[in-house]
Structure formats: C-alpha cells, structure tokens
Amino acid sequence: MSLRIDILTLFPELFGPFLGTSIPKRAAQKGLVDYHLTNIRDFATDAHRSVDDKPFGGGPGMVMICSTVIEAVEAVQKQDDRPARRILLTPQGRVLDQSTADALATADRLMLIAGHYEGFDQRIIEALDPLELSIGDYVLSGGELAAMVVIDAVVRLLPGALGAEDGAADESFAGGLLEHPQYTRPRDYRGMSVPPVLLSGDHAEIQKWKQRQRMERTQARRPDLWRKYLDEKNNG
Ligand code: ADE
C-alpha cells in the first residue's frame, strides 16, 4: 500500500508547486505516496475563524489555539483507518537527520502538522503526543517549509522513487559519511581536470578513491559526524 501523507496547515496553497514538481510529484504518479492537504482554519469555531490568540502570561506573538489543532488532527485521522504517525514541526523538536528520515519512510501514514505564529499551546503536544521535529537551529515563520523538507527527505527514500535503483545508497549521510566529489563532462575545464583514477576504468581503485574522499571530507568538514562514524565502526 502507498504511503499516505496528511499535511495540516494554515497555508495549503504553499504546497501545490512543491508536491507537483520533481521527485514528490513522480512518486505520487507512480502510486508510492498520496498527499492530503487540510486547512487547519476549517476547524476554527468562533465567528472570526481564529486559529491563534495572545499568550497567557504575556509575551510577544500569538499562540495556536489547542481545540482547533486537536480537532483538525482527530478529523483527519478518521479519513483513513491507518493510525498516522503524527509529526509536529517546531524549532523545539529533535533535529531531523537521515536516520529519522529512513525510519519515517517505513511508515504507512504520516501526519505533518505545521503551525504559524509564535508556537503551539502546550496542550496540543500533551493531547497528540507527536514526534516534534525541527529542521535546524534557526527559527522560520512557520512549519510549512520544514514540512516540505521532511516530505522531500522521506519520499525520495520510497523504493522506486528515484530513477536509478540504488540512487540513495552512496550519497551523503548514507553510511554516516558525506559524499565524495563528483565530476562530469568535460574532462578538462580552464585547466581543472578530472582526477585520473575516475577515468581509469579500474572499478576497485575508483571505489577505494571514493571511500577515501568520503572519509577525508567528513573528517575535515563535519568532525561531529566523523566521531559518530568512528564510534559506530568500533562498536559494531
Ligand atoms: N517552525 C519554525 N522554525 C522551525 C524549524 N527550525 N524547524 C521546524 N519547524 C519550525
């Protein structure tokens, strides 16, 4: 069965071009995934269709109202029998990485909840017990871009989503290392030439060169990933 992705947002119109382009579009056309957009504002209950209000205790900005979000999630859950893995996009969450994307790609239903404004009433988190995910240590004006990042990272991992069968196997973070440098035509450009080993046809030497490059790059650019790689290697 295909992966169902529900997206709850105040700005569903932001998702159209993204879901209708490139890999996310092709994955849906191939029947690997289907997307369902819900406008959280449809679940507002007052005359003004408010979705946010001033924080109790004072402070800047506005807070998403708990009843609106919780009732939107409950209604969307009922649209399909499969229980959804609920994901709330927030800078307070665990930072998305490749292993989280790998795990999410094995689910059969994901529900992404994108808020705007300063944040969510804490009772939303209490009631829904979502996986809180951040896409990095910076603050966006809403969770929509973060939801698109999660969708892109997950959908491209679905078997058959990428052109080449093993397209995702040797890219950055697969196996805990960054990717090696890549080259394509021409062989020489303004005095810069392609490393001869890549033109040698010696498959074993090429693989060795790629692995060495991946290790050197990771060590130089991402000492945090390098330490993790060494730890995992040494501890089995
Ligand atoms: N909403 C606002 N900033 C965010 C971030 N960095 N990650 C996920 N959701 C967010």
Side-chain angles (χ1 to χ4, degrees):
M1 195 190 279
S2 70
L3 167 63
R4 174 179 170 124
I5 300 183
D6 292 287
I7 304 156
L8 281 70
T9 169
L10 294 169
F11 301 99
E13 66 276 14
L14 282 177
F15 288 83
F18 166 68
L19 298 175
T21 306
S22 187
I23 305 287
K25 174 189 182 182
R26 288 219 319 261
Q29 285 174 335
K30 289 180 182 169
L32 307 175
V33 60
D34 49 300
Y35 309 111
H36 299 262
L37 282 157
T38 297
N39 193 331
I40 295 172
R41 197 175 295 279
D42 293 345
F43 295 84
T45 49
D46 68 0
H48 298 104
R49 301 184 78 212
S50 318
V51 290
D52 62 319
D53 210 337
K54 293 193 284 287
F56 283 128
M62 302 287 268
V63 175
M64 298 277 295
I65 296 172
C66 62
S67 59
T68 317
V69 177
I70 292 168
E71 285 159 34
V73 167
E74 288 170 351
V76 171
Q77 173 53 53
K78 286 196 193 120
Q79 293 172 5
D80 189 285
D81 289 339
R82 289 169 283 181
R85 182 87 196 268
R86 294 191 281 259
I87 299 167
L88 189 83
L89 288 316
T90 162
Q92 265 71 245
R94 166 144 65 92
V95 177
L96 177 69
D97 61 11
Q98 191 61 46
S99 62
T100 305
D102 291 342
L104 295 178
T106 67
D108 59 7
R109 185 174 181 197
L110 300 174
M111 188 186 295
L112 299 166
I113 306 155
H116 240 72
Y117 318 110
E118 280 302 303
F120 295 94
D121 186 306
Q122 186 60 28
R123 291 165 293 186
I124 294 170
I125 292 149
E126 261 174 57
L128 300 176
D129 191 27
L131 171 63
E132 295 176 72
L133 273 188
S134 164
I135 60 161
D137 291 337
Y138 42 82
V139 179
L140 303 167
S141 42
E144 284 76 16
L145 287 168
M148 290 185 222
V149 168
V150 173
I151 293 168
D152 194 79
V154 167
V155 164
R156 63 194 300 289
L157 294 172
L158 299 175
L162 298 181
E165 199 48 72
D166 61 350
D170 72 345
E171 62 194 13
S172 291
F173 304 116
L177 294 174
L178 299 180
E179 199 172 4
H180 52 78
Q182 302 269 23
Y183 297 87
T184 185
R185 290 180 300 125
R187 291 173 178 223
D188 290 289
Y189 180 69
R190 296 187 178 175
M192 299 179 283
S193 47
V194 175
V197 62
L198 296 179
L199 310 171
S200 68
D202 184 336
H203 202 65
E205 275 308 310
I206 292 172
Q207 289 311 317
K208 263 200 271 179
W209 180 87
K210 287 182 176 176
Q211 183 63 7
R212 213 165 38 238
Q213 292 288 328
R214 285 159 59 87
M215 292 168 76
E216 281 175 17
R217 265 196 174 182
T218 308
Q219 195 169 7
R221 297 179 185 199
R222 293 291 303 274
D224 57 324
L225 285 181
W226 180 244
R227 268 192 303 277
K228 212 165 125 195
Y229 172 78
L230 291 180
D231 283 352
E232 274 165 26
K233 223 173 137 192
N234 294 333
N235 301 326

